[in-house]
Amino acid sequence: MSEPRIRPGGVRELGPVIWAFSRIAGRATNTAPPAIFTTLGRGKGLFWGWLHFAGKLMPGGKLPRRETEMVILRVASLRGCDYEFTHHVRLGRRAGVTAADVERITVGSSAEGWQGHEQLLMAITEELIGTKDLTDTSWDALRAAYDERTALELLLLIGHYDMLATTLMTLRLEPDPSR
C-alpha cells in the first residue's frame, strides 16, 4: 500500500460544509468518509465545481442509474483504478448491479448475458477509453439506441470517469474501508 500524495483533510482543511458532506457520503456508502471527497475537498471552490458537474452525470443523469454504474465500473476496470472500481461496486449494488454483473463488466462487451443496450454501452466505453474516439459505425449504433441528450451524457460520463481515474491513481488513493 502506498501513501496518498495528498492526505485526506479534516474539518480544518476542508471547512465545515465539505467535512460534514463527506461524513454524510460515508454513511451512504457505509464506509469511512470517502477519500475522494476528503482529498478533492481540499481544493474547496474547485471541489464544488467538480461536484456540480459530476452530479449532473451521476446521480442526476438521464441514463438509467444501473447503466450509469455499469459504464463507470467498465471505465474503472479498463483503467485499473481500484478506488473508483471499489467505490462504484458499492454504489452500483444500490442501483441493481449484481455480483454477476460485476464479473461480466470486468470481462467486457465480449462477455455472455448482456441485456438490452448493456453490450453496446460496454463496447462504446471500451472504444472511447482505447481510442479516445468512436467510429461512425459505433456512433450510429449509439444514436440508434439513445437520443441526442443521452448520447452526449454518455460521452461526458466516460470522459469524466477516465479523468477521475487518472486523478485518483495519481493521488495514490486506496479504497475506503468499510464501517
Side-chain angles (χ1 to χ4, degrees), residues 53-54 57-58 63 67-69 71-72 75 152-162:
F53 171 72
L57 298 171
M58 194 287 291
L63 195 66
E67 293 177 8
T68 298
E69 291 295 341
V71 167
I72 295 168
V75 172
L152 288 169
E153 178 184 313
L154 181 63
L155 299 177
L156 290 168
L157 180 72
I158 293 167
H160 173 256
Y161 279 91
D162 187 22

Side-chain angles (χ1 to χ4, degrees), residues 124-138:
I124 294 292
T125 304
E126 292 160 5
E127 188 173 340
L128 275 175
I129 295 297
T131 69
K132 307 301 182 202
D133 196 6
L134 292 178
T135 64
D136 290 341
T137 302
S138 296

Side-chain angles (χ1 to χ4, degrees), residues 7 10 29 42 57 79-81 93 97-98 105-106 114 117 120 133 138 146 173 179:
R7 294 204 161 281
T29 56
R42 294 176 73 112
L57 298 171
R79 293 296 318 277
C81 183
R93 207 175 298 136
V97 178
T98 66
I105 289 166
T106 60
W114 296 115
H117 299 304
L120 173 65
D133 196 6
S138 296
Y146 294 99
L173 294 186
R179 286 182 182 238

